[in-house]
């Protein structure tokens, strides 16, 4: 019996159309307003056939385009034959000329037109189905070539079976490698969240899936009442089900199951297509299994390498833990991970860090802290004992108690693995957990092994990080102490200036105004007071300077070293002349990135020092030179030297000369002994180095480095910032 | 005759030395000595056109003062009508460039370091005063000290 929908044919109904369909035994629904027809087609089950007028066909062109597989027959009056032909051109499946007289629309002609239309659409449907199927096969083949993982391929396959081949439900179960169970591996047609927890694993032999896997042949089931207790996912609403075994490489791998809400006759080309698909899936699974084994191995190795890198970086303990947990969660495709600390002495816990898969919609935070009571106390105890907690909906770990129910209810957790990090950190126990909310993941031995290895690495990393933390704290303390000391030196030497100024002032007044009131001895004593006060003043000045140079108060600029040295030679002209020193300078000069004042001080102190220690040299000489060099960090540097031909320094004393106020007792020269310490502090505070080459009696050479000015590339020529290439 | 020199100096020894130097150079006028910053602020308020009392012809100002710092005193002077024209010589133990820059930027006429200026006959200080208030020292005594004078004065 054909169910037809007649659109806009009210006038023809009275002229014999009704009589013809009655004669054929069709059931016809008569609708006359185009809008009503459209609504009917959008809402209810589709009829087998549409009957409409040529004009009506033209009005509803969009509707026919949307329903390409619905047969449409035009019933036209003779004068509308041209329109009817146009409709055929446009996609209508057949037409029938109604002569316009009641007795002339013969039922037999209507039957033929309808039959042809139905046949035409059946053919189209099968062509379409073949095309869709080959599309499905192609896509699956492509996903395999793309090298994605098995879960993705299976999900793609079932989605295609559902969307493209038109099955209401498509699932794949795979046999567990070690057990008798079959694990739900992909599902399309319902929300993953709607899958009941107890069907994630099915026993071999259970339901059509089990039969297909058990026998290696297709297994069918039908539930005419649509209330199947034993449908593949145990859900109502399906009328028919077909499971096809997926087998390859001489073993059973799993099954592909499809289900329809309408009663369905299995067999024929659609089933053959599904069979071909199952074979293709078998090939894919075998292929990917070996690839995935290798890949998982590599990936896990990479994970451990990554973690040991993290552990070896100088991070604080929390950073190490957090980065590791994130890496583990991503690598093992966990939906959630959390880092929980238990303080067994203080009886508190704190979940301080978590990672949630960005695709998961349930994003409420697990982070919290509180007293360690109830189930958490038991959890802590179990983990403290070194045990690993594994829990799934099917088999919750007893130690988790109510905490598991809370995780399930609040966060939709379906599977959990929770491990301790072996060594307790300052009396506290560090633990981490991975959770799955999309499915009741069964943690494999391989998962547990890798997580145990991660835990061991973490324990190591934590110890390293703690050591580092201690070092960092000690360094910070030392630095604080140092700057405190420097500030103290600064204040003290500053405050000491005032009484020294008074001492010198009054001594000087005594010398000038009351000299005659003192005898020769008195004057000698007074002179000693004045000299000592002067020396004390100089010491304080130097001390101040020394504490100041380390602080880098002066900004760096591009300094033409030549101009600095010219200034210094001008200042020291008298001193150098007194000692009869000849100074040799290079012809070329670089630009340094430095404080001008400090650079001047460096040269001034080195030249003064060289001039001072000339001894009995008949032709005292100081030579200054430089060359480009590269610093430890690969930075461009300038290495200068200041060489003299004076008395030289015994190797035993070469380090001591840089110590403040340390003076080599063997010679009697003026000065407080701070000059070289100041030079060293200036050089080192700016990342440079200073060293000395010397032999007693053979002069001394000081080498020191300055940062090169930053080169600025200007076309092909390299010029130096602050240096005008025109000069 | 020049007017009063206002000496703002908390160290009595230094004040004494400055007084001695000016006296021996024949400074003819009185010297007012104030020993902390708060008193100095009070002084600035009471002297000049607004306060009614006469302005000093020169201020010698220490930087490290009890209660209120010398720099703040200098700022008040420069912000008070009449005081803008009074020369201020800063005389301090600090030879830190930052202090010197702050004083000169804040309107000091001269910045002298005590370490070199308060030396024996205090030639630097006496000369500074002489230049600032157009006065010629009448007497100089004794020989200049054996170590040459340091030129630490920086004219603004």
């Amino acid at each position: 019996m054909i169910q037809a929908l007649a659109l806009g044919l009210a006038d023809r109904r009275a002229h014999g159309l009704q009589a013809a369909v009655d004669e054929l035994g069709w059931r016809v629904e008569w609708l006359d307003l185009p809008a009503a027809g459209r609504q009917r087609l959008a809402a209810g089950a589709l009829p087998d056939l549409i009957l409409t007028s040529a004009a009506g066909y033209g009005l509803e062109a969009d509707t026919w385009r949307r329903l390409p597989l619905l047969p449409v027959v035009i019933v036209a009056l003779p004068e509308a034959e041209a329109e009817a032909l146009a409709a055929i051109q446009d996609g209508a499946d057949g037409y029938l000329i109604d002569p316009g007289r009641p007795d002339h629309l013969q039922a037999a002609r209507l039957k033929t037109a309808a039959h042809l239309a139905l046949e035409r659409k059946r053919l189209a449907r099968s062509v379409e189905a073949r095309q869709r199927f080959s599309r499905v096969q192609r896509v699956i083949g492509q996903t395999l070539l793309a090298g994605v993982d098995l879960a993705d391929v299976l999900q793609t396959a079932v989605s295609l079976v559902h969307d493209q081949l038109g099955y209401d439900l498509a699932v794949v179960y795979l046999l567990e490698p070690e057990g008798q169970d079959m694990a739900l591996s992909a599902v399309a047609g319902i929300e993953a969240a709607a899958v009941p927890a107890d069907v994630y694993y099915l026993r071999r032999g259970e339901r059509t899936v089990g039969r297909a896997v058990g026998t290696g042949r297709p297994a069918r089931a039908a539930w005419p009442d649509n209330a199947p207790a034993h449908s593949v996912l145990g859900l109502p609403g399906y009328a028919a089900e077909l499971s096809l075994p997926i087998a390859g490489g001489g073993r059973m791998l799993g099954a592909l199951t499809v289900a329809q809400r309408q009663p369905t006759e299995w067999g024929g080309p659609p089933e053959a297509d599904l069979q071909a698909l199952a074979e293709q899936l078998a090939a894919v699974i075998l292929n990917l299994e070996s690839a995935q084994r290798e890949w998982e191995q590599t990936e896990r190795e990479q994970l451990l390498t990554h973690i040991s890198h993290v552990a070896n970086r100088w991070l604080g303990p929390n950073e190490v833990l957090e980065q590791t947990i994130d890496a583990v969660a991503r690598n093992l495709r966990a939906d959630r991970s959390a880092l929980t600390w238990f303080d067994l002495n203080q009886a508190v816990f704190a979940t301080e860090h978590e990672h949630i898969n960005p695709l998961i919609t349930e994003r409420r935070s697990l982070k919290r802290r509180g007293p360690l009571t109830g189930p958490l106390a038991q959890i802590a105890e179990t983990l403290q004992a070194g045990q690993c907690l594994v829990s799934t909906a099917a088999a919750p770990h007893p130690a988790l108690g109510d905490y598991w129910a809370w995780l399930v209810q609040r966060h939709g957790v379906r599977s959990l693995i929770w491990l301790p990090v072996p060594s307790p950190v300052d009396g506290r126990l560090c633990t981490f957990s991975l959770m799955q909310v999309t499915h009741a993941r069964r943690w494999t031995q391989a998962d547990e092994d890798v997580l145990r290895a991660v835990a061991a690495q973490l324990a190591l990393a934590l110890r390293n990080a703690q050591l580092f933390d201690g070092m960092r704290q000690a360094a910070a303390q030392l630095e604080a102490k140092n700057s405190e000391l420097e500030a103290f030196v600064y204040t003290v030497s500053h405050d000491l200036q005032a009484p020294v100024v008074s001492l010198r002032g009054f001594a000087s007044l005594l010398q000038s105004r009351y000299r005659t009131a003192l005898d020769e001895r008195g004057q000698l004593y007074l002179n000693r007071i004045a000299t000592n006060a002067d020396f004390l003043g100089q010491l304080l000045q130097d001390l101040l300077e020394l504490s100041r140079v380390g602080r880098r108060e002066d900004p760096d600029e591009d300094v033409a070293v030549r101009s600095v040295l010219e200034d210094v030679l001008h200042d020291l002209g008298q001193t150098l002349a007194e000692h009869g020193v000849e100074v040799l300078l290079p012809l070329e000069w670089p630009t340094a990135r430095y404080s001008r004042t400090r650079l001047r001080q460096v040269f001034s102190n080195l030249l003064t020092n060289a001039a001072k220690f000339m001894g009995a040299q008949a032709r005292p000489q100081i030579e200054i030179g430089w060359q480009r060099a590269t610093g430890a960090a690969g930075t461009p540097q300038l290495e200068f030297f200041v060489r003299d031909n004076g008395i030289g320094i015994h190797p035993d004393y070469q380090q001591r000369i840089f110590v403040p106020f340390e003076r080599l007792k063997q010679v009697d020269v003026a000065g407080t002994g701070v000059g070289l310490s100041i030079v060293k502090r200036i050089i080192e505070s700016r990342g440079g180095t200073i060293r000395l080459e010397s032999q007693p009696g053979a002069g001394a050479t000081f080498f020191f480095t300055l940062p090169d000015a930053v080169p600025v590339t200007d076309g092909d020529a390299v010029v130096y910032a602050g240096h005008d290439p025109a000069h | 005759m020049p007017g009063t020199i206002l000496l703002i100096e908390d160290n009595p020894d230094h004040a004494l030395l400055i007084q001695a130097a000016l006296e021996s150079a024949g400074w003819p006028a009185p010297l007012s000595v104030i020993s902390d910053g708060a008193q100095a602020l009070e002084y600035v308020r009471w002297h000049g056109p607004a306060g009614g009392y006469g302005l000093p012809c020169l201020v010698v100002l220490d930087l490290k003062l009890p209660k209120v710092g010398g720099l703040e005193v200098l700022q008040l002077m420069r912000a008070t009508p009449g005081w803008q024209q009074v020369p201020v010589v800063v005389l301090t133990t600090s030879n830190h460039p930052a202090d010197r820059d702050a004083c000169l930027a804040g309107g000091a006429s001269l910045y002298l370091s005590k370490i070199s200026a308060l030396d024996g006959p205090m030639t630097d200080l006496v000369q500074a005063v002489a230049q600032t208030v157009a006065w010629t020292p009448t007497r100089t005594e004794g020989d200049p000290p054996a170590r040459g004078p340091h030129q630490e004065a920086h004219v603004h």
Side-chain angles (χ1 to χ4, degrees):
Chain A
M1 187 184 68
I2 284 178
Q3 301 212 10
L5 180 62
L7 295 178
L9 290 174
D11 56 332
R12 306 318 321 146
R13 185 177 179 182
H15 287 88
L17 195 53
Q18 177 80 58
V21 297
D22 285 349
E23 189 183 326
L24 292 170
W26 291 5
R27 268 185 35 200
V28 177
E29 206 178 328
W30 301 89
L31 290 173
D32 286 319
L33 291 171
R38 230 171 296 149
Q39 264 173 20
R40 164 68 185 76
L41 289 173
L46 290 181
D48 299 324
L49 183 72
I50 298 283
L51 295 172
T52 187
S53 66
Y57 187 87
L59 283 173
E60 291 300 304
D62 281 347
T63 307
W64 316 133
R65 255 193 293 283
R66 215 175 51 245
L67 299 166
L69 296 178
L70 187 62
V72 182
V73 172
I74 310 290
V75 179
L77 289 171
E79 59 267 33
E81 185 166 359
E83 259 177 280
L85 284 170
I88 296 290
Q89 288 290 317
D90 210 24
D93 300 290
Y95 79 104
L96 177 70
I97 299 299
D98 177 357
R101 292 188 306 274
D103 53 336
H104 277 78
L105 184 75
Q106 291 170 7
R109 286 179 55 220
L110 182 58
K111 188 181 172 184
T112 311
H115 177 75
L116 286 172
L118 287 167
E119 188 58 21
R120 192 180 129 109
K121 281 301 191 239
R122 200 188 60 74
L123 271 171
R125 234 196 304 269
S126 93
V127 167
E128 162 93 14
R130 295 289 338 144
Q131 280 171 348
R132 280 174 191 227
F133 177 69
S134 55
R135 254 204 315 275
V136 170
Q137 280 193 315
R138 213 166 48 239
V139 173
I140 293 172
Q142 276 164 2
T143 54
L144 180 57
L145 285 178
V148 291
D149 76 334
L150 183 56
D152 289 346
V153 176
L154 293 178
Q155 189 55 49
T156 307
V158 295
S159 297
L160 289 168
V161 168
H162 168 65
D163 299 339
Q164 300 290 320
L165 304 185
Y167 293 96
D168 293 329
L169 181 72
V171 297
V172 168
Y173 273 86
L174 291 185
L175 267 172
E176 290 279 271
E178 64 262 24
Q180 291 293 300
D181 290 353
M182 299 167 301
L184 180 61
S185 302
V187 56
I190 63 167
E191 292 293 315
V195 176
D198 59 345
V199 299
Y200 274 103
Y201 293 93
L202 293 179
R203 300 226 155 264
R204 214 173 204 185
E206 215 179 335
R207 310 191 185 181
T208 56
V209 187
R211 292 212 308 277
V213 168
T215 60
R217 287 199 307 274
R220 305 184 179 89
W223 302 278
D225 56 354
N226 277 5
H230 300 291
S231 75
V232 60
L233 299 182
L235 295 171
Y238 298 98
E241 188 174 287
L242 167 68
S243 285
L244 297 164
I246 301 174
R251 63 196 167 100
M252 193 54 66
L253 300 168
L256 166 67
T257 304
V258 293
Q260 293 288 46
R261 293 183 187 281
Q262 297 297 321
T264 307
E265 289 292 319
W266 300 110
E271 189 175 324
D273 286 351
L274 288 173
Q275 189 62 54
L277 199 62
E279 280 161 25
Q280 195 185 8
L281 284 180
V284 167
I285 291 166
L286 288 175
N287 228 321
L288 280 178
E289 256 184 5
S290 60
Q292 189 160 10
R293 261 197 304 276
E294 266 171 46
W295 176 74
E296 265 176 11
Q297 189 59 34
T298 328
E299 186 151 312
R300 276 161 198 204
E301 275 161 17
Q302 273 172 2
L303 173 66
L304 291 177
T305 317
H306 171 81
I307 287 165
S308 64
H309 277 319
V310 171
N312 286 323
R313 272 178 20 218
W314 293 120
L315 299 169
N318 289 338
E319 288 156 299
V320 169
L321 287 169
E322 289 169 11
Q323 292 198 9
T324 304
I325 293 304
D326 292 356
V328 169
R330 275 194 300 271
N331 186 278
L332 294 186
R333 292 188 183 73
D335 296 330
R336 272 179 175 274
S337 62
L339 188 65
T340 304
W341 290 90
F342 293 105
D343 191 326
L344 301 162
N345 302 329
Q346 306 275 323
V348 288
F349 81 97
T351 299
E352 287 179 340
H353 181 74
E354 66 184 341
H355 177 87
I356 308 178
N357 180 345
L359 301 174
I360 299 299
T361 47
E362 188 350 83
R363 305 195 68 80
R364 274 184 291 183
S365 179
L366 267 171
K367 283 195 222 171
R368 60 195 56 237
R369 47 182 66 226
L372 192 53
T373 51
L376 277 165
Q378 206 177 347
I379 292 169
E381 219 170 274
T382 315
L383 292 167
Q384 170 79 357
Q387 270 194 51
C388 148
L389 292 175
V390 176
S391 195
T392 58
H397 194 287
L400 288 170
D402 292 344
Y403 191 72
W404 172 252
W406 179 79
L407 280 176
V408 170
Q409 232 167 36
R410 189 167 190 272
H411 298 282
V413 172
R414 304 184 122 160
S415 166
L416 164 94
I417 185 164
W418 200 336
L419 292 103
V421 173
S423 78
V425 178
D426 46 323
R428 300 195 302 159
L429 175 65
C430 173
T431 68
F432 65 96
S433 51
L434 299 186
M435 281 157 258
Q436 215 70 40
V437 301
T438 49
H439 64 280
R441 173 174 188 162
R442 186 162 295 191
W443 303 96
T444 63
Q445 192 56 46
D447 288 334
E448 201 181 318
D449 289 348
V450 80
L451 289 173
R452 289 240 181 232
V454 164
Q457 281 274 9
L458 269 182
L460 241 156
L462 276 182
R463 253 202 312 278
N464 278 351
Q466 267 186 317
L467 280 175
F468 173 61
D469 233 30
M471 266 164 60
R472 195 152 55 173
Q473 268 171 20
Q477 275 168 6
L478 194 64
E479 198 164 306
K481 281 256 155 53
N482 261 338
S483 58
E484 214 173 272
L485 194 64
E486 247 171 41
F488 175 73
V489 167
Y490 185 81
T491 316
V492 164
S493 44
H494 199 270
D495 289 352
L496 286 177
Q497 294 275 16
V500 170
V501 163
S502 300
L503 269 180
R504 293 173 68 195
F506 286 115
S508 182
L509 275 180
L510 273 179
Q511 281 175 325
S512 58
R513 284 200 210 167
Y514 300 96
R515 192 161 43 183
T516 49
L518 293 169
D519 62 7
E520 206 168 309
R521 182 161 291 200
Q523 284 181 23
L524 174 71
Y525 294 163
L526 180 56
N527 283 343
R528 294 313 298 165
I529 291 175
T531 312
N532 276 287
D534 284 349
F535 185 70
L536 185 54
Q538 193 56 47
L539 269 178
L540 288 174
Q541 290 260 54
D542 288 347
L543 202 56
L544 259 178
E545 195 55 33
L546 188 63
S547 74
R548 205 180 276 163
V549 291
R551 299 192 206 173
R552 297 207 52 170
E553 286 165 342
D554 329 273
D556 287 345
E557 54 187 316
D558 288 327
V559 183
V561 182
R562 182 193 186 130
S563 72
V564 170
L565 213 64
E566 279 169 356
D567 288 351
V568 170
L569 289 174
H570 182 261
D571 289 352
L572 296 181
Q574 205 182 338
T575 315
L576 295 170
E578 270 170 25
H579 292 86
V581 178
E582 183 191 0
V583 180
L584 307 174
L585 298 174
L587 293 173
E588 304 264 329
W589 289 93
T591 304
R593 185 81 195 158
Y594 230 64
S595 150
R596 197 180 169 84
T597 323
R598 295 302 171 209
L599 190 54
R600 196 168 157 164
Q601 217 167 359
V602 166
F603 278 115
S604 179
N605 289 7
L606 286 174
L607 288 173
T608 309
N609 183 74
K612 249 192 247 174
F613 294 95
M614 280 302 177
Q617 175 61 252
R619 289 193 55 197
Q621 240 181 27
I622 298 176
E623 187 190 350
I624 296 168
W626 65 279
Q627 61 175 15
R628 289 198 195 283
T630 308
T635 48
Q637 285 190 334
L638 304 169
E639 188 182 56
F640 276 84
F641 67 83
V642 174
R643 176 174 297 141
D644 65 61
N645 59 353
I647 57 173
I649 300 159
H650 193 276
D652 291 352
Y653 298 117
Q654 288 184 6
Q655 282 311 308
R656 280 173 55 192
I657 58 160
F658 292 114
V659 177
F661 306 108
E662 185 85 32
R663 285 177 56 200
L664 309 180
K665 303 288 188 259
Q666 56 201 118
V667 279
D668 185 27
V669 284
T672 59
V674 179
L676 290 177
S677 317
I678 290 177
V679 169
K680 185 175 160 77
R681 293 209 68 174
I682 293 175
I683 298 289
E684 289 180 352
S685 71
R686 286 173 166 76
T689 53
I690 181 161
R691 67 194 165 88
L692 166 67
E693 280 177 11
S694 180
Q695 282 301 321
T701 308
F702 286 90
F703 294 90
F704 59 96
T705 59
L706 310 174
D708 202 348
V710 184
V712 177
T713 318
D714 179 19
D716 291 338
V718 171
V719 295
Y720 286 83
H723 183 91
D724 186 352
H727 295 286
Chain B
M1 184 173 105
T4 310
I5 287 184
L6 173 61
L7 174 59
I8 306 172
E9 170 63 68
D10 66 312
N11 187 319
D13 285 350
H14 293 181
L16 193 57
L17 282 169
I18 293 163
Q19 270 173 311
L22 288 170
E23 267 168 27
S24 58
W27 176 256
L31 212 67
S32 297
V33 183
I34 285 178
S35 59
D36 76 51
Q39 282 177 34
L41 294 185
E42 216 35 34
Y43 187 100
V44 174
R45 281 188 204 108
W46 284 101
H47 293 75
Y53 292 90
L55 286 166
C57 67
L58 177 78
V59 177
V60 176
L61 175 67
D62 191 10
L63 279 189
K64 280 190 133 187
L65 291 170
K67 297 179 186 169
V68 176
L71 199 57
E72 210 173 310
V73 173
L74 175 64
Q75 280 160 357
L76 181 70
M77 286 175 177
R78 288 309 176 229
T80 308
W83 279 90
Q84 279 99 340
Q85 285 75 40
V86 179
V88 176
V89 174
V90 173
L91 184 62
T92 172
T93 45
S94 165
N95 57 1
H96 199 292
D99 285 340
R100 179 161 51 224
D101 293 348
C103 286
L104 294 179
S109 320
L110 206 61
Y111 186 98
L112 290 177
S113 164
K114 278 182 184 172
I115 295 155
S116 48
L118 285 193
D119 213 10
M122 289 177 276
T123 342
D124 288 353
L125 178 68
V126 172
Q127 267 174 16
V129 173
Q131 275 168 20
T132 333
V133 298
W135 153 76
T136 321
T138 51
R139 281 179 285 162
T140 50
E141 50 184 296
D143 304 311
R147 52 186 180 274
H150 303 259
Q151 289 295 323
E152 279 277 332
H154 291 262
V155 180
H156 187 42

